[in-house]
Amino acid sequence: FKQQIIKAKYIKKPKDYKTWIKQFKKYDFNSADKNEYIAEALGVISHALKEIKGFGLRDVQILSILIFIENNENQEVEKNNLNKNLINDNENKKSKLSKKDNKDNGKGIIEEILPGEGKSVIISCLSIYYGLRNRKVDIITISKDLAIQDSFEYKKLYHIFDLTVNYIRDFDSEPYKADILYGTFLDFEGDLLYDLSHNKNIRNNRPFDIIII
């Protein structure tokens, strides 16, 4: 990781970030070099964070992000393998396989981040990583004020990586177009229930992809 931090120091101008982003999106994450790509991404994100906030990622923050990524990657591999087995199996075996394997699939991960260890920093940098992987990220906060605060505080960092960010507003579909979306449980639940009960599309067909609480 330290080698990737040193490498990232050569990124000094906005156009350097854009060049790196184009290269990063060409990487094959199914290859044996996947871990190198992840380390490279975190190195560049940490460098950008230091440029904007005056500090880079600390060891405990890097470790937390890596645990999240590794857990999610493993679950997605399991899910893909399960789907392949279900497609190739007959209906009887499909039912048995589904009951057996789905119980441990897609559960996510819980990490305990202590006060002062930088939960908002970890969440924003993890969101950037998945945004660079062309994923939609929903971030659930404990209050509307925190959703607004964090979406504005890290807006410049997100924009460096050509990622849009917004927070949920009542009966407004525009925020759902963002790559990174902040809101409370009630915000997300309310809009989903409104769409279902009134046959609306406030969510703008936003997929249920990566969620961070």
Side-chain angles (χ1 to χ4, degrees), residues 1-142:
F1 181 80
K2 289 182 179 179
Q3 290 179 339
Q4 298 299 343
I5 290 288
I6 294 171
K7 180 179 178 180
K9 289 181 179 179
Y10 292 98
I11 299 178
K12 297 180 179 180
K13 301 177 182 178
K15 67 177 183 180
D16 295 332
Y17 282 102
K18 292 184 183 297
T19 300
W20 176 82
I21 291 168
K22 288 180 181 178
Q23 180 60 44
F24 180 79
K25 291 191 174 184
K26 294 178 182 178
Y27 289 159
D28 179 9
F29 279 82
N30 293 317
S31 72
D33 295 324
K34 179 184 71 174
N35 290 337
E36 279 293 316
Y37 300 154
I38 294 172
E40 181 179 331
L42 293 186
V44 174
I45 292 169
S46 181
H47 179 69
L49 179 67
K50 188 171 184 179
E51 283 189 341
I52 292 174
K53 306 287 285 184
F55 57 84
L57 287 169
R58 292 184 285 130
D59 289 347
V60 66
Q61 294 168 338
I62 295 167
L63 181 60
S64 297
I65 293 170
L66 289 175
I67 291 173
F68 274 119
I69 293 173
E70 181 180 11
N71 177 81
N72 187 63
E73 297 279 343
N74 290 340
Q75 286 196 13
E76 290 191 348
V77 168
E78 290 175 7
K79 183 178 180 180
N80 290 335
N81 290 337
L82 175 61
N83 288 337
K84 289 178 182 177
N85 288 332
L86 291 177
I87 291 172
N88 296 328
D89 219 336
N90 59 46
E91 290 299 320
N92 184 42
K93 290 182 179 179
K94 181 191 302 183
S95 176
K96 292 179 180 178
L97 185 60
S98 179
K99 290 178 181 178
K100 178 182 178 182
D101 291 353
N102 269 344
K103 63 182 180 180
D104 293 321
N105 187 55
K107 287 186 176 180
I109 182 173
I110 296 176
E111 285 193 31
E112 182 178 6
I113 310 298
L114 299 178
E117 289 185 348
K119 285 185 282 291
S120 293
V121 171
I122 291 171
I123 288 171
S124 62
C125 292
L126 182 62
S127 299
I128 289 170
Y129 170 78
Y130 280 115
L132 290 169
R133 297 284 305 275
N134 298 316
R135 309 291 292 270
K136 293 291 185 182
V137 182
D138 295 338
I139 301 172
I140 296 180
T141 62
I142 59 173

